Amino acid sequence: MSHSLTSNPARITVPKIIQKKLAGEKITSLTAYDYSFARIVDEAGVDIVLVGDSLGMVEHGHDSTLPVTMEEMLMHVKAVRRGVQSALLVADMPYGSYQINDEESLRNALRFVKEGGAEAVKLEGGSKRAETVKCLVRAEIPVMGHIGLTPQSLLSFGGYKVQGRTEEAGERIFEDALALENAGAFSIVLEGIPRELAERITRTVSIPTIGIGAGPDCDGQVLVIHDLLGLNRDHIPKFVRQYAALGDQAFQAICNYVQDVHNAKFPLDQESYHSEARHENRIHSIRNA
Ligand code: KIV
């Protein structure tokens, strides 16, 4: 199995994502953090698989994305790479990997492409990230922007709050979108902003917008896979639709397993291996029956 761009004509590429906006086709995106889920997401036909730094919370149990490191991200990107054959693979740049200077940002983004096999990177922030975006784009790395409720801004926002609700705040986010487009980003994630603002940005910019908690008018949608599958059994944000309750199902399945082992109901004889002697005895008794 190869994920090579040249050997798989069905592969989703950056130009194909841009083309989808022009053709009025909705874009689908989901996060994946490991090989098994990456395969399922890819085979289901999702356009963009994002190895999001949300993994810090849903996979590593942190209470924010801030502690996530480059090494952790790279390990997950490599695993997801092995599971993705067709979708565009985007790696999220963790907090601290692109805030120091452009040289460091470029070095980290290059690691995602060269070591991780990512086809694009995502970073948070608008106007203040324009120069960094330009620098990565000059090095032929496609960049997905991310504005609005940017989780890495947790400390300055003072919490996870919907952004851009006032006219002035909305205008700043609108300017951020224009700055990212001008800097050469190929798409922009719009997170946690009013639907009306997302619609205005989507109508104005030529690159696709991918919404999460930004209403239905974006060019595409992205969700954290744990939210979509109901694996997260804690707080469920308003913008999430749970398409399954895998967390409850997993819990019930594990309770059943524990009970069966306690009651000596697992494993049964047919779930056990047998010695050769017993196998031959059984064949003998079948023949003589
Ligand atoms: O980290 C992440 O999963 C993300 C998406 C939710 C957009 O940034």
Side-chain angles (χ1 to χ4, degrees), residues 33 51-53 55-56 60 62 65-80 82 91-98 104 107-112 115-116:
Y33 314 107
V51 185
D53 65 349
L55 64 80
H60 292 250
H62 294 300
T65 58
L66 301 182
V68 177
T69 66
M70 271 302 294
E71 300 312 318
E72 286 167 344
M73 286 302 301
L74 266 170
M75 191 200 71
H76 286 278
V77 172
K78 287 177 190 173
V80 169
R82 292 189 279 270
D92 215 359
M93 298 198 68
Y95 182 58
S97 70
Y98 59 97
E104 184 106 0
R107 188 174 299 115
N108 285 324
L110 283 168
R111 287 192 73 192
F112 280 128
E115 296 174 42

Side-chain angles (χ1 to χ4, degrees), residues 120-221:
V121 297
K122 176 169 85 58
L123 52 82
E124 297 183 10
S127 312
K128 65 183 167 201
R129 299 284 168 241
E131 287 312 311
T132 308
V133 173
K134 281 185 197 165
C135 169
L136 304 193
V137 170
R138 266 200 305 275
E140 316 298 345
I141 302 173
V143 179
M144 175 182 267
H146 184 167
I147 54 178
L149 198 183
T150 43
Q152 292 177 17
S153 314
L154 174 66
L155 301 179
S156 45
F157 287 167
Y160 298 114
K161 298 171 190 159
V162 173
Q163 300 293 306
R165 277 197 149 130
T166 65
E167 203 178 318
E168 197 190 335
E171 211 46 44
R172 274 200 303 272
I173 293 174
F174 183 74
E175 292 301 324
D176 280 339
L178 297 185
L180 288 171
E181 179 186 28
N182 289 335
F186 78 95
S187 64
I188 312 172
V189 170
L190 303 179
E191 177 163 358
I193 61 171
R195 170 183 181 169
E196 298 75 20
L197 175 58
E199 190 278 331
R200 181 175 167 223
I201 293 172
T202 301
R203 188 164 28 88
T204 308
V205 298
S206 59
I207 54 176
T209 59
I210 315 288
I212 173 162
D217 305 303
C218 300
D219 297 306
Q221 297 292 326

Side-chain angles (χ1 to χ4, degrees), residues 204-235:
T204 308
V205 298
S206 59
I207 54 176
T209 59
I210 315 288
I212 173 162
D217 305 303
C218 300
D219 297 306
Q221 297 292 326
V222 60
L223 279 177
V224 168
I225 192 164
H226 288 58
D227 290 341
L228 176 144
L229 294 178
L231 281 165
N232 177 2
R233 300 164 85 225
D234 306 329
H235 167 69

